[in-house]
């Protein structure tokens, strides 16, 4: 293929951002310059890479194939650059991290401390759901991800670094608030606001109640912890969320954690990467930092269960 690295990087930016204008801004190019690079690339390859429907652009089937290849090339070039910079003794680089939406309640605190120690490091953070994290791992386009239970279908290296307790929450005026040793059987009389199917919290919760031979009544399904907390505060049902998401609500007494038998459900947070992935010096430093120091940085009364 008669394709230049410049064309590939322009194509990757347009494919990722789905916009010629935003790609031009990111690459510090003019929009006509970006369009010209894409036209030349399509001409060289002899096939259309994008199609426009209304005001939106989409990758064609050929575009999808080239996009995956362009990400691999870009990652390999970045990895090589990091290695060469490290050999020259340069202490800078880019850290690509993806975290579960629930982990975003504490991940910025870790990144703030890490960034303060490594001021020349640029951090790219993507906050997404479990499906998005798995996509990052499949595409190998992040240095590592922070998530709950890692998927078994991929060959991964995963190390636990902190507990992730799941608790039952209710509004302060709920009939069960303040009760001791609430039974699982009693919980079955309540309705619950659930995370969406496939989320880490939902998987852990379903596994737990299946082991207890119990079944909960679902009032609503929501795709974020914030939505669940708001719904519980409004009295629409009980919820099950990570204790790490509740600092503000418990402090403001907007929600309470119920004393339920066999709770909290103890999970862990993992730092995960593809097996055999060669980490850049910056990524290795961040991983070591999380494994060695996250417990000290994130230790406050709310998290002691």
């Amino acid at each position: 293929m008669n394709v230049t690295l410049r064309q590939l990087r322009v194509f990757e930016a347009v494919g990722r951002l789905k916009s010629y204008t935003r790609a031009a801004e990111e690459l510090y190019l003019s929009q006509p310059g970006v369009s010209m690079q894409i036209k030349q690339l399509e001409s060289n390859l002899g096939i259309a890479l994008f199609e426009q429907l209304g005001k939106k652009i989409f990758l064609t089937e050929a575009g999808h194939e080239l996009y995956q290849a362009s990400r691999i090339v870009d990652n390999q070039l970045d990895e090589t650059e990091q290695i060469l910079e490290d050999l020259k003794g340069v202490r800078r680089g880019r850290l690509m991290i993806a975290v579960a939406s629930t982990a975003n309640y504490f991940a910025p605190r870790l990144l703030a401390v890490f960034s303060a120690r490594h001021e020349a490091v640029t951090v790219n953070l993507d906050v997404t759901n479990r499906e998005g994290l798995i996509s990052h791992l499949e595409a190998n386009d992040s240095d590592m991800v922070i998530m709950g239970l890692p998927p078994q279908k991929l060959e991964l290296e995963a190390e636990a670094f902190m507990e992730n307790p799941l608790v039952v929450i209710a509004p302060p005026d709920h009939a069960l608030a303040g009760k001791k040793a609430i039974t699982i059987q009693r919980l079955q009389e309540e309705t619950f606001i659930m995370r969406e199917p496939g989320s880490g919290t939902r998987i852990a919760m379903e596994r737990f109640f299946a082991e207890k031979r119990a079944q909960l009544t679902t009032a609503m399904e929501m795709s974020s912890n914030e939505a669940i907390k708001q719904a519980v505060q409004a009295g629409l049902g009980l919820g099950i969320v990570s204790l790490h998401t509740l600092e503000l609500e418990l402090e403001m007494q907007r929600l309470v954690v119920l004393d339920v038998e066999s709770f909290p459900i103890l999970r862990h947070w993992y730092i995960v990467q593809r097996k055999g992935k060669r980490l850049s010096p910056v990524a290795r430093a961040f991983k070591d930092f999380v494994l060695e120091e996250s417990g000290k940085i994130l230790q406050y009364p709310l998290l002691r269960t």
Side-chain angles (χ1 to χ4, degrees), residues 190-202:
E190 301 292 328
T191 56
F192 278 77
I193 313 298
M194 303 285 201
R195 279 296 299 268
E196 76 281 10
S199 75
T201 299
R202 180 71 175 262

Side-chain angles (χ1 to χ4, degrees), residues 27-71:
L27 298 171
Y28 299 101
L29 297 173
S30 67
Q31 184 173 335
V34 169
S35 298
M36 182 182 68
Q37 291 285 342
I38 297 299
K39 287 179 180 178
Q40 288 178 348
L41 179 59
E42 290 180 324
S43 176
N44 290 342
L45 295 176
I47 194 168
L49 301 174
F50 293 99
E51 58 182 351
Q52 184 162 349
L53 301 176
K55 295 183 178 181
K56 295 184 178 181
I57 64 171
F58 300 88
L59 288 165
T60 63
E61 183 177 357
H64 278 290
E65 293 296 329
L66 185 61
Y67 181 74
Q68 295 301 322
S70 70
R71 294 306 297 265

Side-chain angles (χ1 to χ4, degrees), residues 137-148:
L137 290 169
E138 289 176 336
N140 193 31
D141 58 8
S142 290
D143 293 312
M144 61 200 72
V145 307
I146 291 177
M147 66 188 306

Side-chain angles (χ1 to χ4, degrees), residues 78-79 81-83 85-86 90-96 114-115 118-124 143 280-283:
D78 285 344
E79 194 172 285
E81 181 182 3
Q82 289 283 352
I83 293 169
E85 294 293 353
D86 188 54
V90 177
R91 301 298 181 185
R92 65 178 177 83
R94 183 174 62 169
L95 179 65
M96 305 285 288
F114 182 79
S115 296
H118 304 82
E119 295 181 357
V121 171
T122 301
V123 177
N124 184 300
D143 293 312
S280 68
V282 169

Side-chain angles (χ1 to χ4, degrees), residues 124-142:
N124 184 300
L125 173 66
D126 183 28
V127 181
T128 184
N129 58 17
R130 182 177 177 84
E131 183 179 349
L133 294 174
I134 292 174
S135 294
H136 275 294
L137 290 169
E138 289 176 336
N140 193 31
D141 58 8
S142 290

